[in-house]
Amino acid sequence: MNPLKKIKDWIAEGKAGWHLAGGRSSLKQGKYKEALKEFRKALKARPNNPEILHYNAITLLKLKRPEKALECYEKILKNNPKLAEAWNNKGLVLKELGRYDEALECYEKALKINPKYAGAWNNKALVLKELGRYDEALECYEKALQINPKLADAWYNKGSVLIYLKKYKKALKCFEKAIELNPKNYRAWGTKGITLHNLKIYEEALKCYDKVLQLNPQDDKAWNNKGLVFNELGRYDESLECYEKALQINPKLAEAWNNKGVVLSELGRYEEALECYEKALEIDPEDDKTWNNKGLVLEELGKYKDALECFQKALEINPEFADAWKWKGIILEDLKKPEESLKCYKKALKLNPPKQNTMVHARKNTTKTRQTQRSTKML
């Protein structure tokens, strides 16, 4: 090799290493723009270095520039097509962009190169979950955990899929394992709380949310979900306090506005409940449950035509919403439209057949059972 070229390479390597170290330090401190400047300087010295390109891509993702991050991994793979980590990371970026089929192809390439790559199995499962392919996702998590039983993320993610499949007891074991491996994982504590709530183990669910809030006091989702549990226990004042805390942290949390409305309805404070539902619908106008709940309050206030509009809106969003069909039928009956009312009842029965062969009149239900609460999933 030419001695002069050797010296130039040595100098370039030194510059690249210096700027790489500076960029990594800034990245760790959350100074993403400074980190990006350092990585760019490092790339000027070593434009094809896979490590520098990787950290540059991570920084670009932090700055919400996934397309540019994708370019980094494509450059890495052009020069290093057998680098499993690069295929895995390219898959992560494509998932971020919502390009799920392409992301799957990347994970499959990574796993073809390295079938024992637990992280790639875990990430492939995340995409399959997004596509609603839950059984395949579970198989991938099991593969990941066979390779690395201490992969806390895989335990957590497997539990999340089991929740979607309503296999709550199995999900609970997964979250407990994730917490055993990482006791400070507040997401695992929070989702364990959701699982216990679904199993009606309310006091234990409250302990989980308390643990989340000990680790992260500003977690609006945990405050919302803790409020749900207090409502189940009939502790309405404490429930309201939780929703108010959630809304102080995040005034745009539609679920908390809806749930606050449910509690106020249960307390007979209908005008206040109505205000909460209107707030929720300003934030999320496509939520069928909140439209239904607003309709129920308007029905309580005797505003039948307004209530009918709400139930109709809920059904435009979700034509399979049995309760909305039932209540639309009740309102039409009140408005002396028996034929239209009967059609609604039939639709409600078809969607949600009762255990007995009779239609239980919905007016006999309490406000608590009529209105729908919304949890904020921490998955």
Side-chain angles (χ1 to χ4, degrees):
M1 180 185 286
N2 185 312
L4 184 60
K5 187 177 185 305
K6 191 173 182 180
I7 292 169
K8 285 181 178 178
D9 283 347
W10 180 77
I11 292 169
E13 196 68 43
K15 282 184 179 179
W18 176 263
H19 290 300
L20 174 61
R24 289 177 64 177
S25 175
S26 295
L27 180 62
K28 192 174 182 181
Q29 295 173 59
K31 298 175 181 177
Y32 303 129
K33 289 183 179 178
E34 289 179 27
L36 193 62
K37 286 178 185 177
E38 290 294 321
F39 294 135
R40 281 176 177 167
K41 289 175 183 176
L43 286 168
K44 279 184 182 178
R46 280 286 177 264
N48 295 316
N49 183 289
E51 186 180 8
I52 301 170
L53 284 164
H54 169 64
Y55 280 107
N56 193 55
I58 290 173
T59 309
L60 287 163
L61 283 174
K62 294 287 187 184
L63 292 167
K64 309 294 183 189
R65 296 166 66 184
E67 293 286 359
K68 288 291 181 183
L70 188 60
E71 289 176 14
C72 293
Y73 290 119
E74 285 170 349
K75 192 170 184 179
I76 294 171
L77 288 164
K78 185 178 178 180
N79 297 306
N80 305 272
K82 296 293 183 183
L83 198 59
E85 291 82 359
W87 283 111
N88 176 73
N89 294 335
K90 184 180 177 182
L92 290 171
V93 179
L94 287 164
K95 178 182 179 290
E96 183 81 13
L97 291 166
R99 292 159 62 178
Y100 298 129
D101 290 337
E102 292 171 81
L104 280 180
E105 287 175 14
C106 289
Y107 296 132
E108 284 158 10
K109 285 180 179 177
L111 291 165
K112 188 175 180 180
I113 296 164
N114 180 8
K116 297 292 184 183
Y117 192 169
W121 282 111
N122 177 72
N123 293 334
K124 182 181 177 182
L126 286 170
V127 174
L128 290 166
K129 177 190 166 188
E130 291 290 340
L131 294 169
R133 292 159 62 179
Y134 299 127
D135 290 335
E136 292 173 79
L138 283 177
E139 288 174 15
C140 289
Y141 288 131
E142 284 159 12
K143 283 271 191 184
L145 291 166
Q146 283 170 14
I147 297 161
N148 183 4
K150 293 187 177 181
L151 189 59
D153 280 353
W155 283 111
Y156 172 80
N157 293 330
K158 182 182 176 183
S160 300
V161 172
L162 289 165
I163 281 188
Y164 278 99
L165 296 172
K166 301 189 186 302
K167 296 180 179 180
Y168 299 122
K169 290 182 180 178
K170 289 183 178 179
L172 189 60
K173 290 179 181 178
C174 291
F175 296 130
E176 286 170 349
K177 188 67 179 177
I179 289 165
E180 179 188 323
L181 292 164
N182 181 7
K184 292 186 178 180
N185 185 343
Y186 67 87
R187 289 196 312 153
W189 280 107
T191 317
K192 181 183 176 183
I194 291 170
T195 309
L196 289 163
H197 187 168
N198 283 312
L199 291 168
K200 302 186 187 304
I201 306 173
Y202 299 127
E203 294 293 345
E204 290 301 312
L206 283 177
K207 289 178 185 177
C208 289
Y209 295 134
D210 285 340
K211 185 66 178 180
V212 176
L213 293 166
Q214 178 187 335
L215 294 166
N216 183 16
Q218 296 301 302
D219 192 321
D220 55 326
K221 299 175 182 66
W223 281 111
N224 176 73
N225 292 342
K226 187 177 178 182
L228 292 174
V229 177
F230 279 134
N231 193 18
E232 292 284 0
L233 294 170
R235 293 160 64 176
Y236 301 128
D237 289 341
E238 289 165 282
S239 182
L240 281 176
E241 285 174 15
C242 289
Y243 297 136
E244 284 160 10
K245 184 68 176 178
L247 290 166
Q248 284 172 14
I249 297 165
N250 180 7
K252 297 291 184 183
L253 190 62
E255 295 92 329
W257 283 113
N258 175 80
N259 296 337
K260 184 179 177 183
V262 171
V263 176
L264 290 166
S265 296
E266 289 167 355
L267 295 170
R269 293 158 62 179
Y270 299 122
E271 294 290 352
E272 292 173 80
L274 200 57
E275 288 175 13
C276 289
Y277 294 137
E278 285 166 358
K279 284 273 192 182
L281 291 167
E282 283 175 20
I283 299 161
D284 184 5
E286 295 301 307
D287 186 74
D288 56 326
K289 295 177 180 65
T290 303
W291 279 109
N292 189 68
N293 290 346
K294 183 180 176 182
L296 293 170
V297 169
L298 288 166
E299 189 271 343
E300 290 282 357
L301 295 170
K303 298 178 179 181
Y304 300 129
K305 289 184 180 179
D306 291 339
L308 186 62
E309 287 179 11
C310 290
F311 297 128
Q312 186 55 44
K313 183 66 179 178
L315 291 167
E316 286 170 13
I317 297 164
N318 178 11
E320 306 297 304
F321 194 169
D323 266 6
W325 281 111
K326 175 179 70 179
W327 277 94
K328 183 180 177 183
I330 289 169
I331 298 294
L332 287 166
E333 188 180 342
D334 287 335
L335 295 172
K336 311 300 181 187
K337 296 183 179 180
E339 290 182 9
E340 292 177 59
S341 173
L342 185 59
K343 287 178 184 177
C344 293
Y345 287 141
K346 285 180 178 178
K347 185 72 176 177
L349 285 167
K350 185 178 179 181
L351 290 167
N352 187 20
K355 292 180 182 179
Q356 298 177 349
N357 198 27
T358 56
M359 180 77 173
V360 178
H361 202 290
R363 291 187 201 283
K364 293 180 182 178
N365 295 346
T366 65
T367 305
K368 181 176 180 180
T369 57
R370 285 191 290 139
Q371 297 205 16
T372 308
Q373 300 178 91
R374 293 176 62 197
S375 63
T376 306
K377 301 297 184 187
M378 291 180 277
L379 304 179

